[in-house]
Amino acid sequence: MSNVSSERLKARYAAERRFRALGLIAVVFSALVLAFLLFTMTANAVGGFKRAELRFTVDLAASGITADPASLADNDALNRLETAGLPEVVTMAATKALGAEAAAELDPQAWRELGRAIAADPVLLQGTVEAALPASDDLAAALRGDGANEGLKTLAEKLAADGKLERAWDPGFLSRADATGPQAVGIWGALKGSMLTMLVTLLLAFPVGVLAAVYLEEYAPKNRWTDVIEVSINNLAAVPSIIFGLLGLAVFLWIFPNYRSAPLIGGMTLALMTMPVIVISGRNAIKSVPPSIRDAALAVGASRVQTVFHHVLPLALPGILTGTIIGMARALGETAPLLMIGMRAFVASPPEGFTSPASVLPVQIFLWSDEIDRGFVERTSAAIIILLLFLLVMNGLAIYLRNRFEKRW
């Protein structure tokens, strides 16, 4: 009998060791997959934060361009400099310093960067400037060694060897909007669109979701109608996001037909998707408050409303905020509902407000990933890193708010 018990005990210990080993293998495998994903994205994103630049000297003092500093202080400064001949001056300087063949590979809009520098500091017109201006997409591809003709590859190698062409960090990637070429694209337009869309989502979903959770948990009678409402909310939280996009297309764009691709419509659509998550997390947080808190408040003469808003909600706030921000982070990564309402338009300037045409980060990533040019592949990886950092900030904010408002009893 003892031998049988001993064998069973050994078998049980062996099963426990196998289970622990399987759990450890699952954790290690998940960590390796995550590390591989982050390493791949980061390796590609390094190139996405760079651009190919041609370096040469521009003698602005000898160019004959003159301008009153006051005339360069408004939004029309670039037009005035263009009329004064700045594009031709830049082209001539590039031809002199780099040669005609290389000057032809300067981005046609490169002079605008020098123009913005002059508008910020008109004193530059009185001297020479060491310009570092973007090269054309073809020359940038040749520098990377991607699908360019042999002549451009030879030119790129020669210019790089002479120190006149190099890939440099592109801070403008964080301040520009979308463009037709990978050298000129930026992420600020989509990032600002995401911020505006998330703000509309928060302003709509949070108060409605929290008030709905308070009513269902504290005031609603327990009958079959409230059971139907609870089941419906739980089902809405599991509905595919594209269904909310169809709802936004059928309802919101029917009411506001002129606001297609606007953060207002996008935020309203995402609010529908986020609201059930906030209601569920809010109800769970309110339910976790001990009944003794309510009883004590009522016992000292507080009304039902005072009990809820002065005692129950402050104690439930950490859980509500955590659920809200996690729901917002989920909404930030959604693409399908926003594609349905038309937020995939080419927007070459950042949105000015909630009703201006805009794109958002997930949609911008989707559109860039569909391009053939490898430069867009690198830019896509860089945009993914920005999106991951945005999500990391939101989740970090959720943890901070939970710890900040958490109370123990």
Side-chain angles (χ1 to χ4, degrees), residues 169-189:
W169 292 104
D170 181 18
F173 177 69
L174 300 176
S175 60
R176 297 190 300 265
D178 199 6
T180 56
Q183 282 280 96
V185 297
I187 203 67
W188 173 240

Side-chain angles (χ1 to χ4, degrees), residues 140 143 189 219 231 258 270 281 291 359 394 396:
L143 183 62
Y219 294 99
V231 171
N258 296 326
L270 293 180
S281 63
S359 183
M394 292 186 68

Side-chain angles (χ1 to χ4, degrees), residues 8-320:
R8 288 180 178 176
L9 189 60
K10 289 180 180 179
R12 187 167 62 186
Y13 287 160
E16 183 178 353
R17 287 193 296 270
R18 287 194 299 271
F19 180 77
R20 293 177 61 184
L22 289 174
L24 180 61
I25 291 172
V27 172
V28 171
F29 178 75
S30 301
L32 289 176
V33 170
L34 179 60
F36 175 76
L37 173 64
L38 293 177
F39 175 78
T40 303
M41 288 295 100
T42 304
N44 289 328
V46 170
F49 287 107
K50 295 181 178 181
R51 69 174 181 180
E53 294 180 345
L54 288 166
R55 299 181 178 274
F56 55 95
T57 301
V58 182
D59 189 354
L60 293 173
S63 67
I65 298 178
T66 58
D68 180 13
S71 68
L72 299 179
D74 55 22
N75 295 329
D76 205 36
L78 287 180
N79 291 334
R80 291 191 177 93
L81 290 172
E82 183 179 14
T83 303
L86 182 61
E88 291 77 12
V89 170
V90 171
T91 301
M92 290 176 60
T95 303
K96 180 180 178 180
L98 308 174
E101 187 179 6
E105 295 301 326
L106 189 66
D107 189 283
Q109 302 299 319
W111 68 270
R112 291 180 175 273
E113 292 197 10
L114 183 57
R116 282 188 284 268
I118 293 172
D121 185 11
V123 178
L124 294 177
L125 289 173
Q126 303 173 10
T128 60
V129 176
E130 295 295 330
L133 301 180
S136 67
D137 294 331
D138 292 337
L139 188 60
L143 183 62
R144 291 192 304 268
D146 297 333
N149 60 56
E150 292 301 323
L152 275 181
K153 287 184 179 179
T154 303
L155 177 63
E157 291 173 357
K158 180 179 182 302
L159 291 172
D162 294 339
K164 298 177 180 179
L165 175 65
E166 65 178 26
R167 300 197 71 194
W169 292 104
D170 181 18
F173 177 69
L174 300 176
S175 60
R176 297 190 300 265
D178 199 6
T180 56
Q183 282 280 96
V185 297
I187 203 67
W188 173 240
L191 184 59
K192 186 177 180 181
S194 290
M195 292 178 179
L196 294 175
T197 302
M198 289 297 102
L199 182 58
V200 173
T201 301
L202 180 64
L203 292 178
L204 292 177
F206 182 74
V208 176
V210 172
L211 290 176
V214 169
Y215 177 78
L216 290 173
E217 198 61 37
E218 297 291 332
Y219 294 99
K222 303 302 179 182
N223 53 38
R224 61 179 181 178
W225 295 112
T226 54
D227 291 340
V228 170
I229 293 174
E230 291 176 5
V231 171
S232 300
I233 291 174
N234 291 331
N235 288 335
L236 282 174
V239 167
S241 60
I242 195 170
I243 303 301
F244 293 101
L246 290 171
L247 183 60
L249 178 64
V251 177
F252 298 142
L253 283 180
W254 175 69
I255 300 174
F256 305 103
N258 296 326
Y259 293 157
R260 178 181 292 271
S261 188
L264 176 64
I265 303 299
M268 293 168 68
T269 303
L270 293 180
L272 291 177
M273 186 186 72
T274 308
M275 206 176 301
V277 178
I278 297 178
V279 173
I280 293 172
S281 63
R283 291 193 64 192
N284 290 333
I286 293 171
K287 193 180 298 183
S288 67
V289 177
S292 58
I293 300 293
R294 298 174 178 83
D295 296 339
L298 293 172
V300 296
S303 67
R304 191 75 178 273
V305 173
Q306 290 174 326
T307 300
V308 171
F309 285 94
H310 294 176
H311 300 279
V312 176
L313 270 184
L315 294 175
L317 191 60
I320 294 174

Side-chain angles (χ1 to χ4, degrees), residues 345-361:
F346 175 79
V347 182
S349 59
E352 297 179 357
F354 294 103
T355 58
S356 302
S359 183
V360 290
L361 275 173

